[in-house]
Amino acid sequence: MSTNLCALIGGNTGRIDCDGKRRTPAILIVGSKEFTSSDYADEATLYAAIQTAINQSNGTSGKLFPFPEIGEVADATVAATSGNLALGPSRQLTKERPGYTYSVEIGHSLFQKLLVFHNKEVPVITLDSANQMWFYKNSTNGNIRGEIALITVSGNGFENGTDATTGVCTIGVSYKSVDDFQKKSAFWPFSATVAPGDFQGLKDVTLTEVQAHAANVYKIGLRIPTAQVGATLNPWDEIGAAVAALTFTAGTGASYGTPLTITSVAADNTLDCLTVTFDSTAHTALPALTEIKLIPPTVAVMAAAGLVGYELGSIIVSK
Amino acid sequence: MPYKGLYFFNAEWAAGLTEAQFCEHEAHHGLTKAELKEAYKLCKAAAKPAVPPLPETAP
C-alpha cells in the first residue's frame, strides 16, 4: 500500500524519433474550417480540403483566408511569471502567453484588405519552414482546425530609408489559450511538393456597367479595385470568356428574391465585358428604375471550372 | 448552352420559344440569321431530356 501519490503525477517520457516540432512560421491561414479525420486521411485529401475551403465565397462558413508569406518572425510571447518564498524553490505563477509578430512585405491594396482582420479573434493555421502545418486537435472527435488567436494588423507606413524593417506590414498573433497551444496542438507534415505559395487568397472582382444599357441588354465589365488613384485592373483577358460560360442569375424586388430570367451571357471582346441579356418581356414589365441584382457564379463554381484566384461580387443595376 | 465559345444561351428559356422569337430576342449579338438558327437548334436539343419520361401506369 502506497503512502504517496508520486506514481500518479506524471506519465511516460519515451522519445519519438523524427518527431516534429514548431519551426519558423512561413504562412498563416485564417478561418473557421474544421477538418475531420476523413479530410486528413492522406496528404492529397487534406490538401484538396484546404484548397476547397480557400475557394469559397466570402461569408461561407468554413472559408479559409491565406495571409501573405512571412518575411520575418519576432517572438512576442509574454513571459511566465514566477515567485518563491524566501527559502523555497521558484514556482511558476502564471504561464507564458504565446505570441508572435510577423513582418510581411505587401502592397497597400492587400494591406487594406488585411485590416479587416485587425483585433479579431480567429482560428489560425500555421505552415512552418519544415512544411509542417499546425492545428488545434479536438481530442473528443479528432477534428483539426486553426489555433484560436487574436490578430492585429498594423504598419505599412513610410520607410525610413536606412532600415529594411520599416514600412512593412506587421501581423501580430497572440494565442488565446496557452494550454490549447501546448497540449492540443497537432501537426501535419506536408511533403516537399507543397510550398507556402500553394495557398493563395482570392482577388475581389467587382462587376460594373461599362456603358448605359440598351433595353434589356446590359454591358457588364470586370474590375479589380486597387489603392492606386484612378487605377482599377481589368482581368478580362485572363478570365472574361471563362466567366461568361458560367451561370449568372438575377433578381428584383424585396431582397431581390423575384427571379429575372437571363436569356444569354456573351463575351464582348471589343468592350472587354459581358453582354448580359434579360428576358425582354419580363424586363419591359418592370417599372422604370427598378433595381436588378445580377448575381455572378460563386467561387466554388468558378473553382470547379478551373477558374481560381478570384471572387466576383454582385452588382445592382437600374432599369 | 455554349455557342462558338463566346455565347452562352439559356437553353431552358430558348426551348419555350419559337425559332423566330429566339432569333429576334438574341439578334443584338451580331450573329447571322443562320448562326442564330443553329444556336436555337442546339438549345432545343440541350433542353430536351436525354431519356423520354416513362408513361404513367394505369391505377
Side-chain angles (χ1 to χ4, degrees):
Chain A
M1 182 176 162
S2 178
T3 58
N4 61 68
L5 295 169
C6 297
L8 303 174
I9 63 171
N12 287 321
T13 57
R15 180 191 174 98
I16 306 287
D17 291 338
C18 307
D19 195 8
K21 76 175 290 294
R22 294 190 193 258
R23 300 296 179 182
T24 309
I27 190 172
L28 309 179
I29 305 176
V30 167
S32 60
K33 176 65 183 175
E34 195 161 301
F35 301 97
T36 66
S37 56
S38 305
D39 290 324
Y40 59 80
D42 55 54
E43 174 168 311
T45 306
L46 179 59
Y47 181 85
I50 294 170
Q51 293 295 347
T52 298
I54 291 170
N55 288 298
Q56 297 293 327
S57 299
N58 240 329
T60 303
S61 174
K63 178 177 165 73
L64 291 179
F65 302 87
F67 272 34
E69 214 162 321
I70 293 166
E72 188 169 290
V73 179
D75 192 336
T77 295
V78 176
T81 61
S82 59
N84 61 280
L85 297 175
L87 302 175
S90 177
R91 273 179 292 147
Q92 191 180 65
L93 300 174
T94 62
K95 285 191 146 183
E96 71 272 30
R97 181 162 300 283
Y100 302 88
T101 303
Y102 303 121
S103 298
V104 297
E105 296 227 48
I106 54 174
H108 207 59
S109 306
L110 177 53
F111 172 71
Q112 291 176 330
K113 294 284 185 187
L114 290 180
L115 284 172
V116 298
F117 294 94
H118 178 65
N119 266 348
K120 298 285 192 334
E121 212 167 78
V122 292
V124 178
I125 298 169
T126 306
L127 179 70
D128 70 19
S129 55
N131 254 19
Q132 297 165 136
M133 191 168 274
W134 291 88
F135 302 89
Y136 162 92
K137 186 173 181 183
N138 185 317
S139 48
T140 304
N141 58 22
N143 291 355
I144 58 175
R145 58 155 171 79
E147 301 172 283
I148 304 288
L150 183 74
I151 299 267
T152 57
V153 180
S154 59
N156 244 55
F158 291 110
E159 300 170 356
N160 68 4
T162 56
D163 184 349
T165 62
T166 59
V168 298
C169 170
T170 303
I171 298 171
V173 179
S174 178
Y175 290 92
K176 185 174 182 184
S177 165
V178 59
D179 281 339
D180 283 353
F181 188 77
Q182 293 177 341
K183 299 175 187 173
K184 299 289 198 171
S185 45
F187 66 94
W188 180 276
F190 276 103
S191 65
T193 58
V194 172
D198 293 333
F199 306 102
Q200 293 288 328
L202 309 181
K203 293 184 183 64
D204 287 317
V205 180
T206 58
L207 302 184
T208 182
E209 241 188 309
V210 298
Q211 65 184 35
H213 63 93
N216 59 322
V217 180
Y218 291 69
K219 295 290 187 179
I220 305 293
L222 313 176
R223 297 291 183 268
I224 299 176
T226 74
Q228 182 174 327
V229 173
T232 57
L233 304 175
N234 186 345
W236 180 258
D237 287 342
E238 286 84 7
I239 66 172
V243 167
L246 301 176
T247 301
F248 283 70
T249 59
T252 61
S255 303
Y256 305 99
T258 304
L260 179 63
T261 300
I262 295 174
T263 65
S264 64
V265 178
D268 181 338
N269 288 324
T270 303
L271 294 178
D272 286 351
C273 69
L274 304 167
T275 302
V276 178
T277 308
F278 297 111
D279 179 282
S280 64
T281 304
H283 186 269
T284 302
L286 295 173
L289 302 178
T290 295
E291 288 189 340
I292 303 167
K293 186 174 187 178
L294 179 64
I295 302 160
T298 64
V299 175
V301 167
M302 292 172 64
L307 258 180
V308 293
Y310 304 91
E311 175 168 355
L312 305 183
S314 58
I315 182 176
I316 312 289
V317 295
S318 188
K319 178 184 170 183
Chain B
M1 224 302 301
Y3 182 69
K4 291 187 182 273
L6 292 176
Y7 309 92
F8 303 91
F9 296 104
N10 184 335
E12 283 68 37
W13 166 82
L17 269 57
T18 64
E19 182 185 85
Q21 288 171 331
F22 174 84
C23 292
E24 184 188 351
H25 196 279
E26 301 297 320
H28 55 276
H29 289 299
L31 294 169
T32 65
K33 202 69 186 281
E35 287 171 329
L36 284 168
K37 287 182 178 181
E38 185 185 15
Y40 176 73
K41 218 178 349 181
L42 291 169
C43 285
K44 288 284 274 186
K48 213 167 27 176
V51 175
L54 289 171
E56 282 183 26
T57 54

